[in-house]
Amino acid sequence: MGFREAHNLSKILSQKIKESGYVPDIIIAIGRGGYVPARLICDFLLFDDLTTIKIEHYKRAADIQETVKLKFPLSVDIHGKRIFVVDDVTDTGKTLSLAVEYLERFEPAEIKTAVLQHKTCSDFVPDYYAKKVVKWRWIIYPWAAYEDLAGFTENIIADRTLTALEICTEFDTRYNITINESDLMEVLDDLSLRGELERIDNEKNIEWRRTGLSE
């Protein structure tokens, strides 16, 4: 998804909120996916009071952690206030479920939730969403595209040693994503700098494998 589509979905979502007549006291973005959508919604609603909490569920590129956990808690008093929680997508629904459960401890007057895209496989149905996604797919948002590409790259390499061209080919066949070698090389170099991949130079070509993987 490009920024233009994300912007349009945020505008659609904001219009639904306006039409419902709901006026929150505080908007809470769920980090990190909800940061950009929440800010755009604030813009369309001409709303100032935005804060955040951070909940972790997914790692990079659709790798799910076994448990959902709150990493950065709320930093403001929401007792007796109308709260509006914003994220980018409902997938399993666990992130928003934990967010609502956590925020209810502070006894707000009301909690409503919103996402850009709601996957019907989610156990949690938000109060507002701009678009329904019936057929499950991993959505690459523009604010997480590079991170997702890095995660998919590691998934493709797994326990193998591959060239950049071989990785590009698997991006296409496995994920239906077209990536050129120059863009992939940037990802590979960054993963190498982080110590997650190692570069192997031989006479014929350059190959990549996970750090510490024996030949």
Side-chain angles (χ1 to χ4, degrees):
M1 179 187 297
F3 274 105
R4 182 181 295 276
E5 185 177 357
H7 182 272
N8 290 340
L9 288 174
S10 297
K11 192 169 186 177
I12 291 169
L13 183 56
S14 300
Q15 189 59 39
K16 288 185 176 183
I17 297 164
K18 291 177 185 178
E19 290 172 355
S20 74
Y22 184 67
V23 181
D25 295 312
I26 297 175
I27 291 179
I28 299 176
I30 295 183
R32 295 173 298 163
Y35 290 159
V36 177
R39 181 61 186 91
L40 287 170
I41 289 168
C42 283
D43 189 37
F44 289 126
L45 297 182
L46 299 177
F47 190 86
D48 293 331
D49 292 334
L50 171 64
T51 189
T52 181
I53 58 176
K54 187 173 188 296
I55 294 175
E56 292 186 340
H57 184 210
Y58 280 96
K59 295 181 181 179
R60 288 203 295 255
D63 287 339
I64 305 176
Q65 297 184 154
E66 291 185 2
T67 58
V68 182
K69 62 181 181 180
L70 178 76
K71 186 170 185 179
F72 299 139
L74 190 67
S75 61
V76 297
D77 180 17
I78 61 170
H79 180 79
K81 296 184 178 180
R82 295 184 302 274
I83 305 305
F84 195 62
V85 183
V86 179
D87 204 359
D88 50 5
V89 64
T90 49
D91 196 299
T92 64
K94 291 181 180 179
T95 298
L96 276 175
S97 292
L98 176 61
V100 171
E101 180 184 347
Y102 167 69
L103 295 171
E104 283 176 342
R105 302 176 194 171
F106 302 97
E107 300 182 346
E110 187 176 23
I111 299 175
K112 287 192 177 292
T113 56
V115 295
L116 297 184
Q117 293 175 290
H118 168 57
K119 297 181 183 179
T120 55
C121 61
S122 169
D123 292 331
F124 185 98
V125 180
D127 297 290
Y128 303 90
Y129 53 88
K131 185 177 181 179
K132 183 185 292 185
V133 179
V134 177
K135 182 180 179 181
W136 190 93
R137 75 285 310 272
W138 181 253
I139 302 168
I140 300 178
Y141 293 100
W143 44 85
Y146 194 77
E147 181 179 277
D148 280 349
L149 289 178
F152 286 131
T153 297
E154 291 182 289
N155 290 346
I156 287 170
I157 292 174
D159 58 355
R160 299 177 294 170
T161 301
L162 301 175
T163 66
L165 179 58
E166 289 171 331
I167 296 170
C168 286
T169 300
E170 286 212 29
F171 258 104
D172 185 45
T173 57
R174 188 187 298 194
Y175 300 116
N176 196 27
I177 295 174
T178 301
I179 181 171
N180 60 54
E181 282 193 60
S182 61
D183 289 338
L184 178 62
M185 286 301 298
E186 184 179 355
V187 173
L188 291 168
D189 286 337
D190 281 343
L191 287 172
S192 178
L193 287 172
R194 289 171 59 90
E196 297 178 30
L197 294 182
E198 59 180 321
R199 172 177 172 147
I200 303 167
D201 294 280
N202 55 45
E203 294 178 0
K204 293 182 179 180
N205 49 40
I206 300 170
E207 295 179 316
W208 301 84
R209 68 184 180 193
R210 288 185 182 272
T211 300
L213 186 67
S214 59
E215 296 187 46

